[in-house]
Amino acid sequence: MSNIYFYYLATHLLVINDLLGGGWTDPAYRLELQTICYSGVFDALYGGRIPRDTPEVMKVVLLGWRAAQRVTGWWDRLTRQTPLWQWRHLREVSALEVFWKWDNIGISTLGDVWGESHMRSFEEIQESYSLNKTQFPKYLQLRHTLLVHIRPGDSVPNCSPMEARTMMGGQGRRGISQLYRSLLFNTTPSHENLRRKWEGWVGPIEEADWRDVLMAPRTMSMTSRFRVLQTLYLHTAYLTPERLFKTGLRQTADCPRCSSPDADFFHMVWACPVIMTYWKAIVGEVSKVLHSEVEMVPFPLLLGAMGEMGLRRADRIFLGEVCLVAKRDIMIEWKAEAAPTLTMWRRGVDLCALCEKSVYEARGCPNKYNKIWG
């Protein structure tokens, strides 16, 4: 996983922060939150089935939370925040009937009935939740069932690292950096297999160059969608004809443009003769704009490491941006028999320039925009 993945994961967890801890009072955000939530959100957070009618935005948030728990090593582990009645790994508890009254009065998580290392006494629960004494047999039934999962004397932590971060409350967008650091601290991603894959396509990659490649998604553009696009390119995260053929979802591995029998990712975005012609036209256009000959090499154009291009910094930024537009258009026309058109690319570059102009002006540095796009 690349660092940019964890950044976007942390961004999704802001919604979980509000669900578990609250504290973000912006009215527009509160309205949006109400439109994407549903009653079973807490069960889904911990592995319950995500209903089909769940809004797509909320699905992303839920899957992000699960990914975060896996990254930090707390997926499928009990904490006192674990849902008591619907969690899929407490099936024996979920099978218990007529406990709906307990749920209605607020006994909904493991921490409501279990202390740090033991089951709370019936008297404690009765005092905390005004539980009727006729519920004592159910208490014994629940205690017996929980002992299937927790041995007497076992310590159940109050919360996982992600639960602790999200329940702090009042963080707003400042919480992104804290969540981001927590996710990075709890993982040591290895990119060696990915590096070897790219070396098989573009040749040996020096360590310093590879670090630039890994940083490219964060530095090539200020636009989030382009950062995600570069991340997907880096990880070759598209379903190529070759990959679909190997999984039995396609009858052949032929390229839809040139009919090559081995249409892997590199072929689809570079080596295909039709796509190569498209890249040559773009490189020719950019060379004219920069008044400098841009090399037709895949390493900087596809992976975004422009350090060896012999261009000034502003020109390297410009080249990276226009290449991102080209790569986006290739993805848009992924299954087409023809390559994207230069007209489509020019239109995308113009729109990209307008968007970046607004950002630079808002930041009070229009001169930097002029250096890059002038």
Side-chain angles (χ1 to χ4, degrees), residues 318 322 325 328 342-357 369 373:
F318 173 77
V322 299
V325 175
R328 182 203 62 187
L342 276 181
T343 301
M344 179 179 180
W345 173 75
R346 291 191 189 104
R347 190 184 303 120
V349 170
D350 289 342
L351 181 60
C352 182
L354 287 173
C355 293
E356 298 234 338
K357 183 178 182 180
Y369 170 82
W373 293 94

Side-chain angles (χ1 to χ4, degrees), residues 5 10 21 33 77 93 101 130 132 164 166 198 203 267 309 319:
Y5 170 85
L33 187 66
R77 292 173 63 180
V93 177
K101 288 184 178 179
S130 302
N132 193 292
T166 54
W198 276 103
H267 176 90
M309 293 297 286
L319 178 58

Side-chain angles (χ1 to χ4, degrees), residues 283-348:
V283 168
E285 292 265 333
V286 176
S287 297
K288 292 177 184 177
V289 172
L290 298 181
H291 304 291
S292 178
E293 191 66 29
V294 176
E295 289 188 75
M296 180 71 180
V297 285
F299 177 69
L301 302 184
L302 292 181
L303 291 175
M306 304 289 180
E308 301 299 324
M309 293 297 286
L311 300 171
R312 66 190 184 102
R313 175 176 170 75
D315 291 345
R316 292 199 302 268
I317 296 174
F318 173 77
L319 178 58
E321 292 278 6
V322 299
C323 284
L324 283 168
V325 175
K327 286 180 278 191
R328 182 203 62 187
D329 291 348
I330 291 174
M331 292 299 102
I332 292 175
E333 302 292 330
W334 185 250
K335 298 180 181 179
E337 295 181 2
T341 65
L342 276 181
T343 301
M344 179 179 180
W345 173 75
R346 291 191 189 104
R347 190 184 303 120

Side-chain angles (χ1 to χ4, degrees), residues 29-45:
Y29 175 76
R30 299 294 304 177
L31 179 61
E32 180 184 1
L33 187 66
Q34 292 173 18
T35 63
I36 64 175
C37 289
Y38 60 96
S39 58
V41 62
F42 291 105
D43 300 331
L45 283 177

Side-chain angles (χ1 to χ4, degrees), residues 90-110:
L90 287 177
R91 290 195 181 110
E92 291 80 3
V93 177
S94 301
L96 297 177
E97 298 180 356
V98 298
F99 272 86
W100 57 270
K101 288 184 178 179
W102 289 44
D103 194 17
N104 288 345
I105 62 175
I107 304 177
S108 57
T109 67
L110 184 59

